[in-house]
Amino acid sequence: MEWTILGAGALGCVMTGLLRQQGESVAVMLSERHRGHFHPHIEVLDITGQRQLFYSRPLFAEHAYKVECLLVLTKAYQVVDALKRLTTLPNSTPVILLHNGMGVAEQVLSLFPNNPVLAGISSHGAMKEGNWQVRHTGKGETWLGPLNEAGKAYQSLVPALAAALGHCEWSDDIAQQQLRKLAINAVINPLTACNDINNGQLLEPRFADVLAQLSEEVHDVISRLQGDKAETLSEFRRRLHKVIELTACNYSSMQQDIAQGRPSENGYISGYILQHAHPHPVPVCQQLYQEMKKREGFRT
């Protein structure tokens, strides 16, 4: 089977390299701006500091009928528009959403009512260094699970992803895994983006108060969404601190977006928390959300 990566950003290119390293066939679905351009090999600087070149077959929207398995690694705000172009995608092709944040799945299920649709989360880190040059900055967990009935038949995708990524497990309740990741992102991403710092700097004493208040606000919202599967506030804070320590040298995707003048996934991370906060106030989350909107506005 050939994997097709939709979204040739940092993580998409890293995943292409990791799959190719295991001998998997990989195509990359390119946007119109790449049409007519030479498609080079993807250069990946791996965790050990070694550079490797990987070939991937270039495809465009009109080639959607050839896609056997689609991994969607665009930004959350790009997912729906990117998928709308794939009008000839076969009904049998599984669509796997691997973006940050939440709030897109419902639209995708409406777009592809007959396709197997799955969601995944991954905590691998990646940074873009240049055109078709990326750095793999950190390994992490990956989870995959179904978003509709047809998606439940694709647990067989897990072994290949586990071999390539170092970890991948199946979850029948992938929404719980998404909420757990969203909770971490809703603290780390806006704080690092607004302060233009790496993740590890959040453990400096100057951020202790805001980190405590924001983590409480986010936990309150996420725990109500999770119900009886929610972790306690102290458990969440321990997990948050562990992630910050493990990714101390990394820069969050939101920080990278703002630093490089790109739109961020603010609306699908902090915005998702705000949408589900009522009637409880979340003043720090609200302030960070507004600040991110302001910064994005200055750059457009």
Side-chain angles (χ1 to χ4, degrees):
M1 183 192 73
E2 182 178 65
W3 304 83
T4 297
I5 305 287
L6 176 60
L11 188 56
C13 287
V14 164
M15 285 207 174
T16 298
L18 293 173
L19 286 164
R20 289 291 296 121
Q21 203 167 33
Q22 293 299 314
E24 298 286 336
S25 178
V26 183
V28 176
M29 182 72 69
L30 300 173
S31 60
E32 285 301 308
R33 65 189 177 89
H34 293 113
R35 192 181 292 275
H37 293 178
F38 171 66
H39 177 59
H41 285 50
I42 294 170
E43 183 178 347
V44 179
L45 180 65
D46 67 20
I47 296 290
T48 67
Q50 293 191 348
R51 293 186 183 272
Q52 289 182 277
L53 292 174
F54 298 100
Y55 173 75
S56 62
R57 191 163 69 100
L59 298 178
F60 290 90
E62 66 267 24
H63 303 128
Y65 68 93
K66 299 180 179 181
V67 175
E68 298 175 81
C69 181
L70 186 67
L71 287 172
V72 184
L73 284 136
T74 65
K75 296 290 187 180
Y77 57 82
Q78 297 171 322
V79 170
V80 173
D81 285 344
L83 288 176
K84 280 180 178 177
R85 298 187 292 115
L86 309 186
T87 55
T88 61
L89 190 74
N91 290 339
S92 59
T93 299
V95 178
I96 305 171
L97 305 177
L98 274 162
H99 57 79
N100 282 329
M102 295 178 71
V104 176
E106 295 78 10
Q107 296 175 72
V108 175
L109 289 167
S110 296
L111 272 178
F112 299 103
N114 300 312
N115 285 73
V117 181
L118 302 93
I121 63 163
S122 182
S123 52
H124 279 257
M127 288 184 68
K128 192 171 183 179
E129 294 209 319
N131 290 330
W132 306 108
Q133 295 177 317
V134 295
R135 179 191 295 269
H136 189 192
T137 59
K139 295 183 178 181
E141 293 185 353
T142 301
W143 291 82
L144 197 66
L147 290 177
N148 61 5
E149 193 64 30
K152 293 179 180 178
Y154 284 84
Q155 194 166 347
S156 58
L157 298 175
V158 168
L161 288 173
L165 305 179
H167 172 275
C168 185
E169 290 187 48
W170 182 263
S171 173
D172 289 317
D173 190 358
I174 192 64
Q176 289 292 337
Q177 298 294 338
Q178 288 179 296
L179 287 168
R180 282 172 60 85
K181 186 184 181 190
L182 179 70
I184 297 292
N185 285 347
V187 176
I188 293 176
N189 283 31
L191 280 177
T192 54
C194 285
N195 291 282
D196 195 22
I197 57 174
N198 65 26
N199 294 358
Q201 289 174 271
L202 289 177
L203 296 181
E204 295 174 3
R206 60 186 172 130
F207 292 111
D209 289 343
V210 70
L211 198 64
Q213 188 171 346
L214 181 58
S215 61
E216 184 173 354
E217 291 179 8
V218 168
H219 173 265
D220 179 59
V221 176
I222 294 294
S223 61
R224 283 187 284 113
L225 293 173
Q226 288 184 306
D228 58 7
K229 296 182 180 179
E231 58 194 339
T232 65
L233 178 58
S234 59
E235 288 171 337
F236 170 57
R237 281 177 171 159
R238 280 196 296 272
R239 185 165 64 89
L240 174 65
H241 278 250
K242 183 179 179 181
V243 171
I244 293 173
E245 288 170 354
L246 288 173
T247 63
C249 296
N250 292 0
Y251 288 86
S252 73
S253 59
M254 195 177 286
Q255 185 280 334
Q256 291 179 57
D257 288 336
I258 294 301
Q260 295 175 36
R262 300 188 300 249
S264 78
E265 293 168 305
N266 183 40
Y268 299 90
I269 298 176
S270 297
Y272 192 87
I273 298 296
L274 293 175
Q275 289 168 22
H276 293 86
H278 185 78
H280 300 280
V282 284
V284 176
C285 186
Q286 178 73 53
Q287 184 178 354
L288 287 167
Y289 174 77
Q290 294 298 338
E291 178 62 25
M292 287 297 299
K293 284 188 67 176
K294 187 190 302 181
R295 294 187 182 211
E296 288 180 337
F298 286 152
R299 294 181 183 271
T300 55

